[in-house]
Amino acid sequence: MSVVRTLARPMLASSFVLAGLDKLKNSDDTAQQLSPLLRKAAASLPFQASEKTLARVIGGTQVGAGVLFGFGKFSRLSASLLTVVSLLNTFVEWRSADISSKEGRESRRNQLLKNLSLSGGALLASVDTAGKPGLAWRAEHLAADARKNASHLAADARRTTTKKLNKADKAVRRAVEHATGA
């Protein structure tokens, strides 16, 4: 792992872990803030879940994914989860911000930019392969290598078949010449 990744992952993850802990500690406030979205989510789930429980799940997901990402474990998956949670938080905070004063509007804009920046960092981290090719690249190159090998095998088979046919043709001619007495 590069020095940059070793330093950057925990730095980026720390914000998510602290925000997740705050959501867990203040799950009533989180549930109230996320209430419009959580009501819709709770209604679409196949089981009963309260808004407070879903708020705790979001906070726990944020803490868990942040810790995993910070330690570099399952970093692409955890960064993807952090991106989703961050975008959800960005939307909710933007909608629920106080915009009745100039300071409120300015604070809303600053929070929006901060949250979008964190979401962008997590999104970049979710596609970071740490210098190793991703599955899509591997599959694409494996298919290209298989096509190349197949065409080489086909060419070798054609050459071998042509050689064998030429040898068989010569043998048949000799046999015909020998049988006719020439």
Side-chain angles (χ1 to χ4, degrees):
M1 183 186 306
S2 75
V3 175
V4 172
R5 282 185 186 89
T6 303
L7 294 173
R9 282 186 179 148
M11 290 169 66
L12 181 60
S14 64
S15 176
F16 292 107
V17 171
L18 291 175
L21 288 172
D22 186 51
K23 280 183 179 49
L24 287 173
K25 190 171 86 175
N26 303 313
S27 58
D28 290 330
D29 294 339
T30 302
Q32 183 181 4
Q33 190 180 30
L34 297 173
S35 184
L37 291 174
L38 293 182
R39 249 186 266 125
K40 291 177 185 176
S44 65
L45 291 174
F47 53 88
Q48 284 290 62
S50 70
E51 294 171 8
K52 189 173 179 178
T53 302
L54 290 175
R56 286 182 181 156
V57 168
I58 290 170
T61 301
Q62 204 167 356
V63 170
V67 168
L68 286 173
F69 181 72
F71 285 123
K73 303 296 180 193
F74 305 105
S75 55
R76 292 178 76 188
L77 174 64
S78 56
S80 297
L81 287 172
L82 291 174
T83 301
V84 170
V85 170
S86 179
L87 290 172
L88 171 71
N89 289 336
T90 300
F91 177 72
V92 169
E93 286 179 14
W94 181 76
R95 283 192 69 200
S96 63
D98 176 32
I99 57 170
S100 60
S101 66
K102 182 178 180 182
E103 293 82 22
R105 288 188 294 275
E106 195 172 300
S107 174
R108 179 185 184 193
R109 186 193 69 219
N110 290 338
Q111 277 296 107
L112 177 67
L113 292 175
K114 178 196 71 111
N115 287 337
L116 286 175
S117 298
L118 284 172
S119 299
L123 185 62
L124 276 174
S126 72
V127 296
D128 179 30
T129 60
K132 299 174 188 161
L135 290 177
W137 184 91
R138 290 182 204 175
E140 182 181 319
H141 282 77
L142 182 65
D145 288 345
R147 283 191 297 273
K148 189 187 306 181
N149 288 339
S151 72
H152 288 304
L153 287 173
D156 288 345
R158 280 193 296 273
R159 280 192 297 270
T160 302
T161 303
T162 303
K163 286 180 185 177
K164 297 289 182 188
L165 285 174
N166 287 341
K167 283 184 181 180
D169 187 45
K170 287 180 185 177
V172 168
R173 284 186 189 163
R174 273 190 249 126
V176 168
E177 287 174 4
H178 183 68
T180 58

